[in-house]
Amino acid sequence: MLVSDVRLLNCEFKTNYEYAETENLELSAQIDFGSKFEEDKKIITGKIKAIVLAAQNLPYNFEIEVGGKFELEEGEETRLKQLCTTNIPAILFPYLRETIADITRRSGNQALHLSTMNFQALSEASEENIK
């Protein structure tokens, strides 16, 4: 699989000027991902998004989305499910993670550093829930 394009697709960020700083602030983001396969072109378009919804006492809220295009090599169609649920999100996640860390740090508030994610384990857990 060849990575042909990775880019920031959407960035909506708002600082909460009324935020009252707390010492034990625990921030996390909701992570969603998906992909679409264009069979005639043998290209997968993948997206990964992080969302922190507006709340009264958070320093910011955002929705940030990163996407990429991936060209399949001969025979990789047999691994399409794995590529879409594991490999592509794992490739895009560091781009999303870096963007979030940078923009939250630049806001003048506590930076949000997303924890690493095991997309293989998430995919396996998802399959277990379907059975």
Side-chain angles (χ1 to χ4, degrees):
M1 179 174 66
L2 303 171
V3 179
S4 63
D5 182 36
V6 174
R7 65 178 65 188
L8 179 64
L9 299 175
N10 180 40
C11 182
E12 296 177 35
F13 183 90
K14 293 183 182 174
T15 296
N16 178 2
Y17 286 108
E18 297 177 11
Y19 169 66
E21 195 169 325
T22 60
E23 284 186 30
N24 297 325
L25 177 65
E26 289 191 30
L27 290 167
S28 63
Q30 173 188 331
I31 306 293
D32 294 318
F33 58 90
S35 55
K36 182 177 86 172
F37 178 54
E38 297 175 57
E39 191 171 354
D40 56 328
K41 297 178 184 177
K42 295 191 187 279
I43 291 177
I44 301 172
T45 303
K47 297 179 181 179
I48 188 165
K49 175 174 28 178
I51 301 170
V52 170
L53 300 174
Q56 265 188 317
N57 200 30
L58 288 180
Y60 40 71
N61 62 80
F62 61 78
E63 181 174 326
I64 298 173
E65 185 174 33
V66 171
K69 291 194 181 272
F70 304 85
E71 298 175 22
L72 296 185
E73 295 175 334
E74 193 64 39
E76 284 188 308
E77 294 91 348
T78 59
R79 301 183 322 128
L80 192 60
K81 184 176 180 183
Q82 176 193 355
L83 293 171
C84 290
T85 61
T86 306
N87 298 61
I88 289 174
I91 291 168
L92 293 175
F93 186 70
Y95 293 95
L96 178 69
R97 191 172 184 236
E98 186 275 330
T99 301
I100 290 169
D102 186 51
I103 199 166
T104 56
R105 178 189 58 80
R106 289 175 185 263
S107 75
N109 292 299
Q110 177 180 341
L112 175 56
H113 299 282
L114 297 178
S115 299
T116 57
M117 295 182 71
N118 183 336
F119 289 97
Q120 179 68 38
L122 285 172
S123 179
E124 290 171 2
S126 175
E127 286 180 19
E128 287 294 318
N129 289 336
I130 294 172
K131 291 179 184 179

PDB file of all heavy atoms in Angstrom, residues 12-46:
ATOM      1  N   GLU A  12     -11.981  22.791  13.427  1.00  0.00           N
ATOM      2  CA  GLU A  12     -12.845  23.747  14.117  1.00  0.00           C
ATOM      3  C   GLU A  12     -12.396  23.759  15.566  1.00  0.00           C
ATOM      4  O   GLU A  12     -12.507  22.762  16.266  1.00  0.00           O
ATOM      5  CB  GLU A  12     -14.305  23.331  14.012  1.00  0.00           C
ATOM      6  CG  GLU A  12     -14.824  23.330  12.585  1.00  0.00           C
ATOM      7  CD  GLU A  12     -16.252  22.856  12.491  1.00  0.00           C
ATOM      8  OE1 GLU A  12     -17.047  23.139  13.425  1.00  0.00           O
ATOM      9  OE2 GLU A  12     -16.568  22.181  11.498  1.00  0.00           O
ATOM     10  N   PHE A  13     -11.899  24.898  16.017  1.00  0.00           N
ATOM     11  CA  PHE A  13     -11.324  25.008  17.351  1.00  0.00           C
ATOM     12  C   PHE A  13     -11.836  26.277  18.007  1.00  0.00           C
ATOM     13  O   PHE A  13     -11.817  27.345  17.387  1.00  0.00           O
ATOM     14  CB  PHE A  13      -9.794  25.054  17.271  1.00  0.00           C
ATOM     15  CG  PHE A  13      -9.126  25.086  18.610  1.00  0.00           C
ATOM     16  CD1 PHE A  13      -8.775  23.912  19.241  1.00  0.00           C
ATOM     17  CD2 PHE A  13      -8.862  26.289  19.236  1.00  0.00           C
ATOM     18  CE1 PHE A  13      -8.167  23.935  20.497  1.00  0.00           C
ATOM     19  CE2 PHE A  13      -8.260  26.325  20.481  1.00  0.00           C
ATOM     20  CZ  PHE A  13      -7.915  25.138  21.108  1.00  0.00           C
ATOM     21  N   LYS A  14     -12.300  26.159  19.251  1.00  0.00           N
ATOM     22  CA  LYS A  14     -12.768  27.322  20.001  1.00  0.00           C
ATOM     23  C   LYS A  14     -12.188  27.295  21.404  1.00  0.00           C
ATOM     24  O   LYS A  14     -12.241  26.280  22.085  1.00  0.00           O
ATOM     25  CB  LYS A  14     -14.287  27.335  20.082  1.00  0.00           C
ATOM     26  CG  LYS A  14     -14.953  27.562  18.749  1.00  0.00           C
ATOM     27  CD  LYS A  14     -16.445  27.644  18.890  1.00  0.00           C
ATOM     28  CE  LYS A  14     -17.053  27.815  17.505  1.00  0.00           C
ATOM     29  NZ  LYS A  14     -18.498  27.763  17.554  1.00  0.00           N
ATOM     30  N   THR A  15     -11.630  28.433  21.797  1.00  0.00           N
ATOM     31  CA  THR A  15     -11.127  28.578  23.158  1.00  0.00           C
ATOM     32  C   THR A  15     -12.272  29.045  24.051  1.00  0.00           C
ATOM     33  O   THR A  15     -13.067  29.894  23.660  1.00  0.00           O
ATOM     34  CB  THR A  15      -9.984  29.622  23.198  1.00  0.00           C
ATOM     35  OG1 THR A  15      -8.907  29.123  22.408  1.00  0.00           O
ATOM     36  CG2 THR A  15      -9.497  29.855  24.600  1.00  0.00           C
ATOM     37  N   ASN A  16     -12.335  28.517  25.253  1.00  0.00           N
ATOM     38  CA  ASN A  16     -13.325  28.926  26.241  1.00  0.00           C
ATOM     39  C   ASN A  16     -12.687  29.988  27.132  1.00  0.00           C
ATOM     40  O   ASN A  16     -11.909  29.670  28.026  1.00  0.00           O
ATOM     41  CB  ASN A  16     -13.763  27.708  27.065  1.00  0.00           C
ATOM     42  CG  ASN A  16     -14.752  28.062  28.156  1.00  0.00           C
ATOM     43  OD1 ASN A  16     -15.166  29.207  28.300  1.00  0.00           O
ATOM     44  ND2 ASN A  16     -15.130  27.056  28.928  1.00  0.00           N
ATOM     45  N   TYR A  17     -13.002  31.243  26.880  1.00  0.00           N
ATOM     46  CA  TYR A  17     -12.395  32.339  27.637  1.00  0.00           C
ATOM     47  C   TYR A  17     -12.854  32.362  29.096  1.00  0.00           C
ATOM     48  O   TYR A  17     -12.235  33.000  29.928  1.00  0.00           O
ATOM     49  CB  TYR A  17     -12.696  33.682  26.974  1.00  0.00           C
ATOM     50  CG  TYR A  17     -11.897  33.902  25.720  1.00  0.00           C
ATOM     51  CD1 TYR A  17     -12.503  33.857  24.476  1.00  0.00           C
ATOM     52  CD2 TYR A  17     -10.527  34.137  25.788  1.00  0.00           C
ATOM     53  CE1 TYR A  17     -11.761  34.037  23.316  1.00  0.00           C
ATOM     54  CE2 TYR A  17      -9.780  34.316  24.636  1.00  0.00           C
ATOM     55  CZ  TYR A  17     -10.411  34.274  23.417  1.00  0.00           C
ATOM     56  OH  TYR A  17      -9.664  34.452  22.281  1.00  0.00           O
ATOM     57  N   GLU A  18     -13.933  31.660  29.398  1.00  0.00           N
ATOM     58  CA  GLU A  18     -14.439  31.633  30.768  1.00  0.00           C
ATOM     59  C   GLU A  18     -13.944  30.411  31.534  1.00  0.00           C
ATOM     60  O   GLU A  18     -14.390  30.137  32.640  1.00  0.00           O
ATOM     61  CB  GLU A  18     -15.964  31.681  30.750  1.00  0.00           C
ATOM     62  CG  GLU A  18     -16.472  32.976  30.131  1.00  0.00           C
ATOM     63  CD  GLU A  18     -17.978  33.015  30.027  1.00  0.00           C
ATOM     64  OE1 GLU A  18     -18.650  32.145  30.621  1.00  0.00           O
ATOM     65  OE2 GLU A  18     -18.468  33.913  29.330  1.00  0.00           O
ATOM     66  N   TYR A  19     -13.016  29.699  30.956  1.00  0.00           N
ATOM     67  CA  TYR A  19     -12.464  28.504  31.585  1.00  0.00           C
ATOM     68  C   TYR A  19     -11.779  28.861  32.898  1.00  0.00           C
ATOM     69  O   TYR A  19     -10.964  29.769  32.968  1.00  0.00           O
ATOM     70  CB  TYR A  19     -11.456  27.842  30.635  1.00  0.00           C
ATOM     71  CG  TYR A  19     -10.624  26.758  31.276  1.00  0.00           C
ATOM     72  CD1 TYR A  19     -11.206  25.572  31.714  1.00  0.00           C
ATOM     73  CD2 TYR A  19      -9.261  26.927  31.454  1.00  0.00           C
ATOM     74  CE1 TYR A  19     -10.453  24.587  32.292  1.00  0.00           C
ATOM     75  CE2 TYR A  19      -8.492  25.936  32.038  1.00  0.00           C
ATOM     76  CZ  TYR A  19      -9.086  24.774  32.450  1.00  0.00           C
ATOM     77  OH  TYR A  19      -8.336  23.788  33.032  1.00  0.00           O
ATOM     78  N   ALA A  20     -12.154  28.157  33.948  1.00  0.00           N
ATOM     79  CA  ALA A  20     -11.526  28.323  35.259  1.00  0.00           C
ATOM     80  C   ALA A  20     -10.531  27.185  35.428  1.00  0.00           C
ATOM     81  O   ALA A  20     -10.914  26.026  35.527  1.00  0.00           O
ATOM     82  CB  ALA A  20     -12.579  28.288  36.359  1.00  0.00           C
ATOM     83  N   GLU A  21      -9.264  27.522  35.439  1.00  0.00           N
ATOM     84  CA  GLU A  21      -8.206  26.518  35.461  1.00  0.00           C
ATOM     85  C   GLU A  21      -8.299  25.620  36.696  1.00  0.00           C
ATOM     86  O   GLU A  21      -8.510  26.083  37.805  1.00  0.00           O
ATOM     87  CB  GLU A  21      -6.835  27.204  35.437  1.00  0.00           C
ATOM     88  CG  GLU A  21      -5.721  26.255  35.096  1.00  0.00           C
ATOM     89  CD  GLU A  21      -4.428  26.987  34.808  1.00  0.00           C
ATOM     90  OE1 GLU A  21      -4.481  28.085  34.245  1.00  0.00           O
ATOM     91  OE2 GLU A  21      -3.379  26.425  35.151  1.00  0.00           O
ATOM     92  N   THR A  22      -8.141  24.318  36.465  1.00  0.00           N
ATOM     93  CA  THR A  22      -8.127  23.342  37.549  1.00  0.00           C
ATOM     94  C   THR A  22      -6.848  22.535  37.444  1.00  0.00           C
ATOM     95  O   THR A  22      -6.326  22.309  36.363  1.00  0.00           O
ATOM     96  CB  THR A  22      -9.338  22.385  37.477  1.00  0.00           C
ATOM     97  OG1 THR A  22      -9.288  21.688  36.245  1.00  0.00           O
ATOM     98  CG2 THR A  22     -10.644  23.133  37.591  1.00  0.00           C
ATOM     99  N   GLU A  23      -6.355  22.093  38.590  1.00  0.00           N
ATOM    100  CA  GLU A  23      -5.090  21.352  38.600  1.00  0.00           C
ATOM    101  C   GLU A  23      -5.214  19.954  38.021  1.00  0.00           C
ATOM    102  O   GLU A  23      -4.321  19.470  37.348  1.00  0.00           O
ATOM    103  CB  GLU A  23      -4.549  21.267  40.035  1.00  0.00           C
ATOM    104  CG  GLU A  23      -3.930  22.552  40.507  1.00  0.00           C
ATOM    105  CD  GLU A  23      -3.284  22.390  41.869  1.00  0.00           C
ATOM    106  OE1 GLU A  23      -2.816  21.275  42.181  1.00  0.00           O
ATOM    107  OE2 GLU A  23      -3.254  23.382  42.607  1.00  0.00           O
ATOM    108  N   ASN A  24      -6.313  19.276  38.277  1.00  0.00           N
ATOM    109  CA  ASN A  24      -6.459  17.876  37.879  1.00  0.00           C
ATOM    110  C   ASN A  24      -7.362  17.710  36.657  1.00  0.00           C
ATOM    111  O   ASN A  24      -8.186  16.818  36.604  1.00  0.00           O
ATOM    112  CB  ASN A  24      -7.005  17.051  39.047  1.00  0.00           C
ATOM    113  CG  ASN A  24      -6.050  17.031  40.216  1.00  0.00           C
ATOM    114  OD1 ASN A  24      -4.840  17.022  40.015  1.00  0.00           O
ATOM    115  ND2 ASN A  24      -6.576  17.038  41.422  1.00  0.00           N
ATOM    116  N   LEU A  25      -7.198  18.559  35.700  1.00  0.00           N
ATOM    117  CA  LEU A  25      -8.007  18.475  34.500  1.00  0.00           C
ATOM    118  C   LEU A  25      -7.611  17.246  33.688  1.00  0.00           C
ATOM    119  O   LEU A  25      -6.445  17.044  33.371  1.00  0.00           O
ATOM    120  CB  LEU A  25      -7.812  19.736  33.644  1.00  0.00           C
ATOM    121  CG  LEU A  25      -8.552  19.754  32.320  1.00  0.00           C
ATOM    122  CD1 LEU A  25     -10.065  19.754  32.549  1.00  0.00           C
ATOM    123  CD2 LEU A  25      -8.142  20.968  31.515  1.00  0.00           C
ATOM    124  N   GLU A  26      -8.601  16.418  33.389  1.00  0.00           N
ATOM    125  CA  GLU A  26      -8.358  15.244  32.550  1.00  0.00           C
ATOM    126  C   GLU A  26      -9.111  15.443  31.248  1.00  0.00           C
ATOM    127  O   GLU A  26     -10.325  15.476  31.221  1.00  0.00           O
ATOM    128  CB  GLU A  26      -8.822  13.976  33.253  1.00  0.00           C
ATOM    129  CG  GLU A  26      -7.935  13.601  34.427  1.00  0.00           C
ATOM    130  CD  GLU A  26      -8.236  12.214  34.955  1.00  0.00           C
ATOM    131  OE1 GLU A  26      -8.663  11.353  34.166  1.00  0.00           O
ATOM    132  OE2 GLU A  26      -8.051  12.012  36.152  1.00  0.00           O
ATOM    133  N   LEU A  27      -8.359  15.601  30.188  1.00  0.00           N
ATOM    134  CA  LEU A  27      -8.943  15.812  28.878  1.00  0.00           C
ATOM    135  C   LEU A  27      -8.844  14.541  28.052  1.00  0.00           C
ATOM    136  O   LEU A  27      -7.860  13.818  28.129  1.00  0.00           O
ATOM    137  CB  LEU A  27      -8.202  16.927  28.136  1.00  0.00           C
ATOM    138  CG  LEU A  27      -8.386  18.331  28.674  1.00  0.00           C
ATOM    139  CD1 LEU A  27      -7.373  19.262  28.054  1.00  0.00           C
ATOM    140  CD2 LEU A  27      -9.791  18.816  28.377  1.00  0.00           C
ATOM    141  N   SER A  28      -9.861  14.288  27.271  1.00  0.00           N
ATOM    142  CA  SER A  28      -9.813  13.176  26.314  1.00  0.00           C
ATOM    143  C   SER A  28     -10.671  13.571  25.118  1.00  0.00           C
ATOM    144  O   SER A  28     -11.467  14.504  25.191  1.00  0.00           O
ATOM    145  CB  SER A  28     -10.317  11.879  26.946  1.00  0.00           C
ATOM    146  OG  SER A  28     -11.668  12.019  27.313  1.00  0.00           O
ATOM    147  N   ALA A  29     -10.505  12.864  24.051  1.00  0.00           N
ATOM    148  CA  ALA A  29     -11.250  13.161  22.829  1.00  0.00           C
ATOM    149  C   ALA A  29     -11.933  11.901  22.332  1.00  0.00           C
ATOM    150  O   ALA A  29     -11.441  10.792  22.516  1.00  0.00           O
ATOM    151  CB  ALA A  29     -10.303  13.697  21.767  1.00  0.00           C
ATOM    152  N   GLN A  30     -13.055  12.088  21.696  1.00  0.00           N
ATOM    153  CA  GLN A  30     -13.739  10.990  21.022  1.00  0.00           C
ATOM    154  C   GLN A  30     -13.067  10.814  19.663  1.00  0.00           C
ATOM    155  O   GLN A  30     -12.870  11.780  18.933  1.00  0.00           O
ATOM    156  CB  GLN A  30     -15.211  11.346  20.832  1.00  0.00           C
ATOM    157  CG  GLN A  30     -15.984  10.351  20.004  1.00  0.00           C
ATOM    158  CD  GLN A  30     -17.385  10.856  19.696  1.00  0.00           C
ATOM    159  OE1 GLN A  30     -17.969  11.612  20.448  1.00  0.00           O
ATOM    160  NE2 GLN A  30     -17.910  10.417  18.565  1.00  0.00           N
ATOM    161  N   ILE A  31     -12.688   9.595  19.327  1.00  0.00           N
ATOM    162  CA  ILE A  31     -12.006   9.309  18.073  1.00  0.00           C
ATOM    163  C   ILE A  31     -12.919   8.471  17.186  1.00  0.00           C
ATOM    164  O   ILE A  31     -13.460   7.454  17.618  1.00  0.00           O
ATOM    165  CB  ILE A  31     -10.687   8.526  18.306  1.00  0.00           C
ATOM    166  CG1 ILE A  31      -9.776   9.249  19.309  1.00  0.00           C
ATOM    167  CG2 ILE A  31      -9.979   8.254  16.986  1.00  0.00           C
ATOM    168  CD1 ILE A  31      -9.224  10.557  18.845  1.00  0.00           C
ATOM    169  N   ASP A  32     -13.109   8.918  15.941  1.00  0.00           N
ATOM    170  CA  ASP A  32     -13.888   8.183  14.951  1.00  0.00           C
ATOM    171  C   ASP A  32     -13.049   8.030  13.689  1.00  0.00           C
ATOM    172  O   ASP A  32     -12.269   8.928  13.363  1.00  0.00           O
ATOM    173  CB  ASP A  32     -15.175   8.939  14.596  1.00  0.00           C
ATOM    174  CG  ASP A  32     -16.136   9.041  15.767  1.00  0.00           C
ATOM    175  OD1 ASP A  32     -16.301   8.049  16.496  1.00  0.00           O
ATOM    176  OD2 ASP A  32     -16.717  10.129  15.945  1.00  0.00           O
ATOM    177  N   PHE A  33     -13.216   6.926  12.996  1.00  0.00           N
ATOM    178  CA  PHE A  33     -12.497   6.755  11.732  1.00  0.00           C
ATOM    179  C   PHE A  33     -13.328   5.933  10.769  1.00  0.00           C
ATOM    180  O   PHE A  33     -14.233   5.206  11.162  1.00  0.00           O
ATOM    181  CB  PHE A  33     -11.109   6.133  11.931  1.00  0.00           C
ATOM    182  CG  PHE A  33     -11.108   4.792  12.605  1.00  0.00           C
ATOM    183  CD1 PHE A  33     -11.187   3.634  11.863  1.00  0.00           C
ATOM    184  CD2 PHE A  33     -11.009   4.696  13.979  1.00  0.00           C
ATOM    185  CE1 PHE A  33     -11.184   2.390  12.483  1.00  0.00           C
ATOM    186  CE2 PHE A  33     -11.001   3.468  14.617  1.00  0.00           C
ATOM    187  CZ  PHE A  33     -11.085   2.301  13.856  1.00  0.00           C
ATOM    188  N   GLY A  34     -13.006   6.091   9.510  1.00  0.00           N
ATOM    189  CA  GLY A  34     -13.698   5.342   8.477  1.00  0.00           C
ATOM    190  C   GLY A  34     -12.931   5.426   7.178  1.00  0.00           C
ATOM    191  O   GLY A  34     -11.994   6.210   7.043  1.00  0.00           O
ATOM    192  N   SER A  35     -13.357   4.626   6.212  1.00  0.00           N
ATOM    193  CA  SER A  35     -12.678   4.647   4.920  1.00  0.00           C
ATOM    194  C   SER A  35     -13.629   4.192   3.825  1.00  0.00           C
ATOM    195  O   SER A  35     -14.666   3.586   4.084  1.00  0.00           O
ATOM    196  CB  SER A  35     -11.432   3.771   4.946  1.00  0.00           C
ATOM    197  OG  SER A  35     -11.752   2.469   5.356  1.00  0.00           O
ATOM    198  N   LYS A  36     -13.236   4.509   2.613  1.00  0.00           N
ATOM    199  CA  LYS A  36     -14.022   4.158   1.436  1.00  0.00           C
ATOM    200  C   LYS A  36     -13.073   3.616   0.377  1.00  0.00           C
ATOM    201  O   LYS A  36     -12.011   4.188   0.128  1.00  0.00           O
ATOM    202  CB  LYS A  36     -14.736   5.407   0.925  1.00  0.00           C
ATOM    203  CG  LYS A  36     -15.630   5.177  -0.272  1.00  0.00           C
ATOM    204  CD  LYS A  36     -16.351   6.449  -0.660  1.00  0.00           C
ATOM    205  CE  LYS A  36     -15.448   7.237  -1.589  1.00  0.00           C
ATOM    206  NZ  LYS A  36     -16.100   8.405  -2.193  1.00  0.00           N
ATOM    207  N   PHE A  37     -13.447   2.513  -0.247  1.00  0.00           N
ATOM    208  CA  PHE A  37     -12.620   1.875  -1.269  1.00  0.00           C
ATOM    209  C   PHE A  37     -13.188   2.165  -2.647  1.00  0.00           C
ATOM    210  O   PHE A  37     -14.364   1.904  -2.910  1.00  0.00           O
ATOM    211  CB  PHE A  37     -12.550   0.373  -1.024  1.00  0.00           C
ATOM    212  CG  PHE A  37     -11.755  -0.384  -2.052  1.00  0.00           C
ATOM    213  CD1 PHE A  37     -10.451  -0.013  -2.349  1.00  0.00           C
ATOM    214  CD2 PHE A  37     -12.301  -1.468  -2.704  1.00  0.00           C
ATOM    215  CE1 PHE A  37      -9.709  -0.720  -3.300  1.00  0.00           C
ATOM    216  CE2 PHE A  37     -11.573  -2.186  -3.644  1.00  0.00           C
ATOM    217  CZ  PHE A  37     -10.269  -1.799  -3.941  1.00  0.00           C
ATOM    218  N   GLU A  38     -12.366   2.721  -3.522  1.00  0.00           N
ATOM    219  CA  GLU A  38     -12.738   2.944  -4.919  1.00  0.00           C
ATOM    220  C   GLU A  38     -12.126   1.799  -5.722  1.00  0.00           C
ATOM    221  O   GLU A  38     -10.939   1.828  -6.077  1.00  0.00           O
ATOM    222  CB  GLU A  38     -12.203   4.283  -5.409  1.00  0.00           C
ATOM    223  CG  GLU A  38     -12.780   5.470  -4.666  1.00  0.00           C
ATOM    224  CD  GLU A  38     -12.145   6.771  -5.091  1.00  0.00           C
ATOM    225  OE1 GLU A  38     -12.200   7.086  -6.311  1.00  0.00           O
ATOM    226  OE2 GLU A  38     -11.592   7.459  -4.227  1.00  0.00           O
ATOM    227  N   GLU A  39     -12.941   0.789  -5.976  1.00  0.00           N
ATOM    228  CA  GLU A  39     -12.451  -0.447  -6.584  1.00  0.00           C
ATOM    229  C   GLU A  39     -11.829  -0.229  -7.959  1.00  0.00           C
ATOM    230  O   GLU A  39     -10.786  -0.811  -8.272  1.00  0.00           O
ATOM    231  CB  GLU A  39     -13.595  -1.463  -6.681  1.00  0.00           C
ATOM    232  CG  GLU A  39     -13.133  -2.845  -7.039  1.00  0.00           C
ATOM    233  CD  GLU A  39     -14.244  -3.873  -6.916  1.00  0.00           C
ATOM    234  OE1 GLU A  39     -15.342  -3.546  -6.444  1.00  0.00           O
ATOM    235  OE2 GLU A  39     -13.988  -5.018  -7.303  1.00  0.00           O
ATOM    236  N   ASP A  40     -12.434   0.625  -8.781  1.00  0.00           N
ATOM    237  CA  ASP A  40     -11.916   0.843 -10.133  1.00  0.00           C
ATOM    238  C   ASP A  40     -10.535   1.501 -10.132  1.00  0.00           C
ATOM    239  O   ASP A  40      -9.718   1.249 -11.002  1.00  0.00           O
ATOM    240  CB  ASP A  40     -12.894   1.680 -10.957  1.00  0.00           C
ATOM    241  CG  ASP A  40     -13.231   3.017 -10.315  1.00  0.00           C
ATOM    242  OD1 ASP A  40     -13.254   3.112  -9.070  1.00  0.00           O
ATOM    243  OD2 ASP A  40     -13.481   3.984 -11.068  1.00  0.00           O
ATOM    244  N   LYS A  41     -10.248   2.331  -9.127  1.00  0.00           N
ATOM    245  CA  LYS A  41      -8.957   3.016  -9.045  1.00  0.00           C
ATOM    246  C   LYS A  41      -7.983   2.323  -8.093  1.00  0.00           C
ATOM    247  O   LYS A  41      -6.820   2.695  -8.007  1.00  0.00           O
ATOM    248  CB  LYS A  41      -9.152   4.457  -8.580  1.00  0.00           C
ATOM    249  CG  LYS A  41      -9.966   5.297  -9.529  1.00  0.00           C
ATOM    250  CD  LYS A  41     -10.142   6.694  -8.964  1.00  0.00           C
ATOM    251  CE  LYS A  41     -11.033   7.537  -9.838  1.00  0.00           C
ATOM    252  NZ  LYS A  41     -11.262   8.860  -9.255  1.00  0.00           N
ATOM    253  N   LYS A  42      -8.497   1.354  -7.320  1.00  0.00           N
ATOM    254  CA  LYS A  42      -7.711   0.656  -6.294  1.00  0.00           C
ATOM    255  C   LYS A  42      -7.125   1.650  -5.281  1.00  0.00           C
ATOM    256  O   LYS A  42      -5.952   1.596  -4.915  1.00  0.00           O
ATOM    257  CB  LYS A  42      -6.612  -0.200  -6.912  1.00  0.00           C
ATOM    258  CG  LYS A  42      -7.147  -1.340  -7.756  1.00  0.00           C
ATOM    259  CD  LYS A  42      -6.050  -2.294  -8.128  1.00  0.00           C
ATOM    260  CE  LYS A  42      -6.507  -3.335  -9.094  1.00  0.00           C
ATOM    261  NZ  LYS A  42      -7.208  -4.437  -8.597  1.00  0.00           N
ATOM    262  N   ILE A  43      -8.000   2.586  -4.839  1.00  0.00           N
ATOM    263  CA  ILE A  43      -7.605   3.612  -3.873  1.00  0.00           C
ATOM    264  C   ILE A  43      -8.554   3.558  -2.682  1.00  0.00           C
ATOM    265  O   ILE A  43      -9.774   3.477  -2.844  1.00  0.00           O
ATOM    266  CB  ILE A  43      -7.634   5.015  -4.512  1.00  0.00           C
ATOM    267  CG1 ILE A  43      -6.527   5.147  -5.553  1.00  0.00           C
ATOM    268  CG2 ILE A  43      -7.522   6.107  -3.461  1.00  0.00           C
ATOM    269  CD1 ILE A  43      -6.505   6.465  -6.282  1.00  0.00           C
ATOM    270  N   ILE A  44      -7.972   3.626  -1.497  1.00  0.00           N
ATOM    271  CA  ILE A  44      -8.753   3.750  -0.272  1.00  0.00           C
ATOM    272  C   ILE A  44      -8.589   5.178   0.229  1.00  0.00           C
ATOM    273  O   ILE A  44      -7.469   5.682   0.343  1.00  0.00           O
ATOM    274  CB  ILE A  44      -8.283   2.776   0.828  1.00  0.00           C
ATOM    275  CG1 ILE A  44      -8.382   1.334   0.350  1.00  0.00           C
ATOM    276  CG2 ILE A  44      -9.097   2.986   2.105  1.00  0.00           C
ATOM    277  CD1 ILE A  44      -7.771   0.322   1.303  1.00  0.00           C
ATOM    278  N   THR A  45      -9.708   5.825   0.514  1.00  0.00           N
ATOM    279  CA  THR A  45      -9.690   7.144   1.133  1.00  0.00           C
ATOM    280  C   THR A  45     -10.068   6.933   2.593  1.00  0.00           C
ATOM    281  O   THR A  45     -11.141   6.412   2.894  1.00  0.00           O
ATOM    282  CB  THR A  45     -10.706   8.092   0.465  1.00  0.00           C
ATOM    283  OG1 THR A  45     -10.405   8.161  -0.928  1.00  0.00           O
ATOM    284  CG2 THR A  45     -10.638   9.476   1.072  1.00  0.00           C
ATOM    285  N   GLY A  46      -9.164   7.306   3.493  1.00  0.00           N
ATOM    286  CA  GLY A  46      -9.406   7.123   4.919  1.00  0.00           C
ATOM    287  C   GLY A  46      -9.478   8.453   5.640  1.00  0.00           C
ATOM    288  O   GLY A  46      -8.875   9.441   5.212  1.00  0.00           O
TER     289      GLY A  46
END
